[in-house]
Amino acid sequence: MPVSFSISASDYHTEGEPFRIVSSGLPDLKGETVLDKRSFAQTSLELEQIRQLLVNEPRGHADMYGGFITEPNDSGADFGVLFWHGDGYSTACGHGTIALGAWAVESGLVASSDDSTTPVTIDVPSGRVRAVVTKSGGQITRITFQNVLSHNVATAVNLTLDDGREVKVDIAYGGANYAILEASQLGLSVEPEHLDELIRLGREIKWALNNSAEAQSQGDSRLNGIYGTIFFDRLQATESTIHDRNVTIYADGRVDRSPCGSGTAARIAQLHHLGQMGPDTLLMHDSIVGTRFEGKIATSPAPSAEHGVVPEISGNSWLMAESSFILSESDPLPSGFSLR
């Protein structure tokens, strides 16, 4: 069968959210930094065809996620990555960082032993992150990633929805900007039966705030805008633990099945700003499908009201498939398709 090209990928899921890793067979990614490479990828027709082939149906789906492995910014990192989804390229992806930690160790790219704690340093578009992979008896039992410096951007931003309802929204940065609000403001809860309405409102809130002054606060304009809307339910809170359930509606109506890694980082920064979370507080952050990340504030560098915090977020990731994706010369859908 004549083929236009084939490309290999490793498919992981991190607490329910997919992450498709491509480490070879890619065209040259030009740029000095991973953020520069992201800008290049956004204009590369060849890379765009590969992204669309892997993310769209029938090889992917509306909420598919993945990454292209690149050279790091410098020798201080093991590799770099460009995160992608159905609408393009993101600047941060915590669940992807966790998956990449598992992939780097299981593929042998970063050496480890059967009982070990192994750091994997990764350059992502928003900066440098580190995934620490814990293995016991040869099995990965936990992966904790330390995110970029994260901070609150704005508190209690007034927003009038299309239906006339008024809500107050916080904005926080965890490698990307997120709009954050309690679902009860809208008479909803973070449960699958409310998902269609949460998607609709998440898109509306994101686009209403995307070009706002508050969303243009990053030093590099490529990090500006609103990446997603986080809806949360407060389940329980004690002096030492906050337990929330959340769903992140990212990009243009995409749904994160995991508790969202960079969104959890933004939530930690927001909670710290509000005085609800300190270095001794644990955030148990559940997803809409019942999986969990655990988050805390790193003590070094010291948390700062002015500069923000460095979140540390723990979960796990599992290899699902090693695949070769083929585009046949006669395939009438070379870029795939999406029904939503």
Side-chain angles (χ1 to χ4, degrees), residues 199-210:
I199 292 171
R200 184 185 71 81
L201 291 165
R203 292 181 74 218
E204 181 181 338
I205 291 167
K206 174 222 168 80
W207 292 117
L209 294 172
N210 192 60

Side-chain angles (χ1 to χ4, degrees), residues 168-172 178-182 229-230 232 263 266-267 270:
K168 292 185 181 294
V169 180
D170 291 356
I171 300 172
Y178 289 89
I180 305 172
L181 70 161
E182 195 161 3
T229 303
I230 300 173
F232 72 91
R267 183 83 171 111
Q270 176 212 20

